[in-house]
Amino acid sequence: MSTSSASLPGGTWNLGDLTVTRFGYGAMQLAGPWVMGPPADRDGALAVLNEAVGLGITHIDTADAYGPHITNQLIREALHPYSDTLHIVTKVGATRDQEGGWPPARKPEELRRAVTENLEHLGLDTLDVVNLRLGDAQGPVTGSLAEAFETLVELQQQGLIRHLGVSNATAAQVAEARSIAPIVCVQNMYNLAHRQDDGLIEELAEQGIAYVPFFPLGGFSPLQSSALTAVATRLEATPMSVALTWLLQRSPNILLIPGTSSVAHLRENVAGAELQLSDDDLVELDKIGRRSPQ
């Protein structure tokens, strides 16, 4: 199956001077259980990556902490040498421990090592986009990012990084990063039920900066799920399709990176996001994230 990026849901967006499809692919699920170790089906993982590119996707999101190292090695094996139109976005700022945790790794020497390892495992001389991962597994944590972000700016000035972004960040940290150097994207948790970044998304859109939500269908209560299911049933679609389409229609600067380890599921995600939600659908879905706490 092959198509072009022009036919993917949502069209394209510019990350600085890089044009990417708004419908991208998140590679985290290509590693083993709990994002540790190799996949059970290596050939299947490689097939998913090839299918993503075959579908016209030009935005792949990854991190060398996935596996660790496994996901980037798979990307290199499947897709290197990379097409000029394919852009790989990675992140640094966390590592893995033997228990499968995600301890922070944001000291200057840790960030330099992480960038070097991403370059090595992806087979690149320059990383297209590097996000500084902040906070912890529970979400953003307040505090200055200056030392860590300035380290990445130095690596950018050395030609190892083309563009910068931040992930798992507060609005104040986004503003602080932008006061240090230009950013092209913010990657935070956001979906129909978790709307804490509504104002930030609108601000970033005005500045031409992408917003990349993770967990597009995470954290729903039964009540919220029933509301989403009701809309999906009416449209003869899956809840995931409705949630992805809602994100695409929410704002033109939102880029999607749904992940999967299945070629069939990848195709379903792309096809499902081609829905068109009516104004009535949008009003009904909008109520999910604006419900008063029970």
Side-chain angles (χ1 to χ4, degrees):
M1 184 175 182
S2 179
T3 188
S4 69
S5 59
S7 64
L8 283 168
T12 60
W13 181 266
N14 291 333
L15 296 173
D17 62 346
L18 307 176
T19 300
V20 298
T21 50
R22 288 183 64 208
F23 196 103
Y25 171 70
M28 185 173 70
Q29 293 186 33
L30 295 183
W34 306 104
V35 202
M36 290 289 284
D41 181 1
R42 186 179 186 86
D43 289 341
L46 298 173
V48 170
L49 289 163
N50 280 296
E51 182 68 12
V53 172
L55 289 168
I57 289 171
T58 63
H59 172 202
I60 293 179
D61 179 83
T62 186
D64 207 50
Y66 298 163
H69 316 312
I70 298 296
T71 297
N72 281 355
Q73 291 168 350
L74 289 168
I75 291 171
R76 180 174 184 172
E77 181 177 346
L79 304 176
H80 194 277
Y82 307 111
S83 163
D84 291 340
T85 61
L86 178 65
H87 301 297
I88 299 172
V89 177
T90 190
K91 63 185 71 66
V92 296
T95 186
R96 305 304 303 277
D97 59 30
Q98 301 223 338
E99 291 72 43
W102 300 81
R106 293 191 284 269
K107 296 178 182 177
E109 62 272 19
E110 293 172 323
L111 293 171
R112 294 187 188 102
R113 181 168 60 250
V115 167
T116 298
E117 290 177 347
N118 271 276
L119 288 166
E120 176 185 350
H121 295 135
L122 288 168
L124 290 168
D125 296 321
T126 302
L127 298 169
D128 281 336
V129 183
V130 173
N131 285 315
L132 174 62
R133 173 75 173 184
L134 299 163
D136 56 29
Q138 281 68 53
V141 175
T142 58
S144 175
L145 53 65
E147 182 182 42
F149 196 70
E150 287 167 357
T151 300
L152 295 185
V153 172
E154 292 174 5
L155 295 170
Q156 183 184 40
Q157 293 169 344
Q158 294 169 20
L160 301 180
I161 301 170
R162 183 165 298 171
H163 297 296
L164 297 171
V166 293
S167 175
N168 207 30
T170 66
Q173 288 167 336
V174 172
E176 184 183 18
R178 294 183 61 202
S179 73
I180 297 169
I183 63 172
V184 298
C185 56
V186 173
Q187 187 180 107
N188 277 0
M189 180 178 176
Y190 181 83
N191 56 42
L192 271 167
H194 292 267
R195 303 281 296 275
Q196 69 285 346
D197 277 354
D198 274 339
L200 178 60
I201 289 170
E202 291 162 10
E203 177 185 342
L204 295 174
E206 292 175 358
Q207 301 298 322
I209 298 171
Y211 184 93
V212 188
F214 55 81
F215 294 144
L217 197 58
F220 283 76
S221 72
L223 178 64
Q224 293 161 342
S225 295
S226 65
L228 176 59
T229 300
V231 175
T233 300
R234 185 169 68 245
L235 297 174
E236 297 182 347
T238 66
M240 176 60 87
S241 295
V242 173
L244 294 178
T245 300
W246 179 83
L247 286 166
L248 284 176
Q249 292 187 218
R250 167 68 182 81
S251 181
N253 67 322
I254 288 183
L255 311 185
L256 302 186
I257 51 168
T260 179
S261 58
S262 160
V263 167
H265 189 209
L266 174 63
R267 292 174 179 168
E268 289 171 4
N269 282 344
V270 172
E274 293 173 347
L275 285 172
Q276 284 297 315
L277 300 175
S278 69
D279 290 343
D280 288 343
D281 295 330
L282 293 172
V283 168
E284 187 171 350
L285 292 169
D286 191 60
K287 294 176 182 176
I288 293 174
R290 299 189 187 278
R291 294 183 188 276
S292 298
Q294 301 296 313

